[in-house]
Amino acid sequence: MDHNTFISTLAKRIGQSSDETAALVNALADNIKNAASELNAVAIPGFGRFEAIKKEEYVAVDRTDGQTKLFPPEITITFTPGSMLKKRLIHE
């Protein structure tokens, strides 16, 4: 399912316009991104938990050109589904 299909399907389910639904989804994504930039977790009861993990900078050999390079720190976000989401996905 692509982004536009997701937004239109969700809009129909919640009885909102596609623009309003897109704004809500974007606001949620922005809040998760802001929390992750501060290395905070975001837990949504019944849905799951988004957690930021910071990988420190490191020195390694670049496989493409064989040079030793300093790779910058990186923040990645992991998602752990909640028990209610797991139950709904498995039983429906």
Side-chain angles (χ1 to χ4, degrees):
M1 177 181 292
D2 67 4
H3 180 71
N4 291 333
T5 305
F6 172 73
I7 294 295
S8 63
T9 303
L10 183 59
K12 288 176 187 172
R13 288 193 70 162
I14 64 173
Q16 298 288 329
S17 71
S18 291
D19 290 339
E20 292 170 327
T21 304
L24 290 171
V25 170
N26 290 335
L28 175 63
D30 287 343
N31 283 337
I32 292 170
K33 181 180 174 183
N34 289 338
S37 70
E38 298 171 3
L39 298 178
N40 293 327
V42 175
I44 302 171
F47 184 73
R49 177 182 172 93
F50 296 90
E51 189 169 3
I53 298 173
K54 183 176 181 181
K55 296 179 183 177
E56 298 297 330
E57 65 184 13
Y58 61 97
V59 177
V61 176
D62 189 347
R63 294 179 185 177
T64 58
D65 58 14
Q67 293 183 345
T68 301
K69 294 186 179 180
L70 175 65
F71 290 88
E74 180 179 60
I75 296 175
T76 58
I77 300 174
T78 61
F79 176 71
T80 306
S83 59
M84 293 295 290
L85 178 63
K86 286 180 185 179
K87 287 178 186 176
R88 295 216 42 193
L89 290 176
I90 292 171
H91 296 295
E92 288 188 12

